[in-house]
Amino acid sequence: MIKLCRVDHRLLHGQVAFSWTNAVQADCILVASDSVVNDEMWKTTLKLGKPAGVKLVIKSIADSIQAINSGVTDKYNLLIVVQTIHDAYRLSKEIPTIRSINLGGSKKQEGYRQISKAIFVGEQDEKDIQAMLNSGLEVEIRQLASESSVSVQNVL
């Protein structure tokens, strides 16, 4: 069961590894990333940062979609972490069991605007967010599990 689908450009770090994992009672973290899946150094770093007793799986976006839709992940309380809003959009289009997206952190880039303390969006991000909202998904901004959720509609 998908407990949370989170956008965080840093992927697995203290907030995700401990705060969010505990808050949603996840027993498996899926890092869905086309770049990380082929980067041995990054994969090693992520493995070191995972909480004890929690399974860590690193897959491409396509392989993540296939695994979740096949039912192989159904036995887990799954926390999905992606690097970009576009990756979250790609997953949400193909995985009907994703009902909400948590925006926790996205990189500041040239031409992007800041919509919260840790969320920067470009034109494509805004289109992806709007498409997710139009499809009925809840899209929230929240860095820490203990913070109040802010609907992305309130800041766009």
Side-chain angles (χ1 to χ4, degrees):
M1 165 185 264
I2 297 171
K3 303 299 267 179
L4 182 71
C5 182
R6 178 177 170 86
V7 175
D8 195 320
H9 68 279
R10 298 176 296 168
L11 294 173
L12 188 57
H13 54 88
Q15 290 172 0
V16 174
F18 299 100
S19 173
W20 282 104
T21 301
N22 288 333
V24 300
Q25 299 180 331
D27 56 13
C28 182
I29 298 169
L30 169 61
V31 172
S33 170
D34 291 337
S35 60
V36 174
V37 77
N38 297 312
D39 186 329
E40 292 305 317
M41 179 74 85
W42 205 345
K43 288 195 308 191
T44 299
T45 302
L46 292 174
K47 289 173 186 172
L48 292 172
K50 81 166 189 68
V54 176
K55 182 178 179 74
L56 174 66
V57 179
I58 302 168
K59 291 186 173 290
S60 68
I61 298 294
D63 288 345
S64 296
I65 291 166
Q66 189 279 326
I68 293 167
N69 286 337
S70 76
V72 73
T73 63
D74 289 353
K75 62 186 172 190
Y76 297 108
N77 289 325
L78 192 62
L79 168 57
I80 304 169
V81 185
V82 297
Q83 288 177 294
T84 68
I85 292 167
H86 188 66
D87 286 347
Y89 171 65
R90 289 173 59 199
L91 288 178
S92 72
K93 279 193 330 182
E94 302 293 331
I95 303 171
T97 52
I98 293 178
R99 306 260 194 264
S100 67
I101 302 293
N102 166 261
L103 303 179
S106 62
K107 273 200 235 183
K108 181 179 184 179
Q109 298 180 55
E110 191 168 329
Y112 279 39
R113 70 183 181 106
Q114 187 172 11
I115 61 170
S116 78
K117 179 180 174 186
I119 303 294
F120 298 85
V121 294
E123 189 175 322
Q124 186 60 54
D125 295 321
E126 292 196 45
K127 289 178 183 175
D128 291 342
I129 289 168
Q130 196 56 56
M132 289 188 284
L133 292 169
N134 291 343
S135 72
L137 285 175
E138 172 195 7
V139 182
E140 69 158 359
I141 297 172
R142 188 161 43 141
Q143 276 190 284
L144 300 171
S146 60
E147 294 177 344
S148 296
S149 174
V150 175
S151 174
V152 75
Q153 288 176 303
N154 295 340
V155 295
L156 278 183

